[in-house]
Amino acid sequence: GQQVMQIPQYQHVQEGEDFTTYCNSSTTLSNIQWYKQRPGGHPVFLIQLVKSGEVKKQKRLTFQFGEAKKNSSLHITATQTTDVGTYFCAGRISGGSYIPTFGRGTSLIVHP
Amino acid sequence: DTGVSQDPRHKITKRGQNVTFRCDPISEHNRLYWYRQTLGQGPEFLTYFQNEAQLEKSRLLSDRFSAERPKGSFSTLEIQRTEQGDSAMYLCASSPTASGTGEQYFGPGTRLTVT
């Protein structure tokens, strides 16, 4: 079945350093979403990418969707302690189920 | 607060018992989803409703799991004859039909512990 792989599983950074998490699918995706889950909280939607090669920015966060629509990345510039949490990608397979498949997530730990 | 609500927030039960969880989606959302999440994993899809119709179920969902959304508003998820492997966070999410972003709004979850 379709798998969405996400790396790394954990990332420790010093406050102010950059952070990137990568998401890879075994099959072409129609779109990909990113969610953030704070410790003890629930996933909160960040963004959806649909077009091949699409890049979107939200303040210090930059989201990219690969040209082949099989991979995506989230980059955070100059991390802050408020960025702590687990970042999940969720991809919808082209021509397949409406339901997105979530990756395992990358837990970001920011040291002050 | 007009977000997604779930009840109870925590449930401890003994193996073999039945449990039922409730989800109240955002009122104008006609799509409702159930997920299960264990430590270190992403949300795992269980089932999906559009209004009162259950349109999709995960192949991983055993016969012990059943979900309903009788009037297209709130939904219940029942687990019969619980097993220790059912211990997890059960998340409900909702979305409107015509959502350009495909955003799902998650509730706070029900944490199930089977002893």
Side-chain angles (χ1 to χ4, degrees):
Chain A
Q2 184 215 6
Q3 284 193 331
V4 174
M5 309 300 292
Q6 207 173 337
I7 56 169
Q9 189 172 356
Y10 300 95
Q11 184 76 55
H12 289 255
V13 299
Q14 289 295 131
E15 190 173 16
E17 291 182 339
D18 293 355
F19 159 78
T20 305
T21 172
Y22 301 91
C23 185
N24 294 288
S25 170
S26 54
T27 54
T28 303
L29 302 170
S30 59
N31 60 56
I32 194 156
Q33 298 176 338
W34 285 91
Y35 290 80
K36 177 183 178 182
Q37 185 172 22
R38 294 182 185 276
H42 56 273
V44 175
F45 176 83
L46 295 176
I47 207 159
Q48 176 170 281
L49 304 173
V50 178
K51 299 176 183 176
S52 169
E54 189 170 13
V55 178
K56 287 188 176 180
K57 293 190 176 185
Q58 290 179 351
K59 297 183 180 178
R60 295 178 295 105
L61 277 62
T62 302
F63 304 84
Q64 291 188 319
F65 200 9
E67 295 290 341
K69 300 183 75 173
K70 286 187 174 183
N71 56 71
S72 181
S73 65
L74 158 59
H75 179 82
I76 302 178
T77 304
T79 54
Q80 300 174 357
T81 54
T82 53
D83 295 325
V84 165
T86 301
Y87 293 85
F88 294 99
C89 62
R92 286 195 173 101
I93 189 171
S94 288
S97 169
Y98 172 80
I99 307 301
T101 299
F102 280 79
R104 288 186 65 178
T106 296
S107 293
L108 172 63
I109 300 101
V110 179
H111 299 277
Chain B
D1 188 334
T2 56
V4 178
S5 62
Q6 292 186 245
D7 183 70
R9 296 291 303 276
H10 303 273
K11 179 70 177 180
I12 300 174
T13 191
K14 292 187 176 180
R15 190 176 53 190
Q17 297 294 306
N18 298 345
V19 293
T20 300
F21 309 141
R22 176 179 170 125
C23 171
D24 286 87
I26 294 172
S27 59
E28 62 268 24
H29 288 185
N30 46 18
R31 288 179 172 163
L32 187 148
Y33 315 79
W34 285 99
Y35 292 87
R36 175 171 60 192
Q37 187 177 28
T38 54
L39 196 62
Q41 301 293 325
E44 176 189 28
F45 170 71
L46 295 178
T47 191
Y48 153 61
F49 290 85
Q50 179 151 322
N51 300 313
E52 65 276 8
Q54 188 173 20
L55 295 186
E56 196 165 338
K57 287 174 63 174
S58 168
R59 286 171 292 178
L60 302 174
L61 206 63
S62 80
D63 292 343
R64 297 185 297 106
F65 287 71
S66 62
E68 293 183 339
R69 194 182 184 198
K71 296 182 180 179
S73 55
F74 73 92
S75 175
T76 58
L77 176 69
E78 181 182 18
I79 309 174
Q80 295 182 328
R81 304 181 303 282
T82 52
E83 301 172 356
Q84 287 188 323
D86 297 331
S87 295
M89 176 72 83
Y90 289 83
L91 293 165
C92 175
S94 70
S95 69
T97 305
S99 171
T101 65
E103 176 177 358
Q104 294 185 39
Y105 296 77
F106 282 84
T110 294
R111 182 169 295 283
L112 173 66
T113 303
V114 181
T115 62

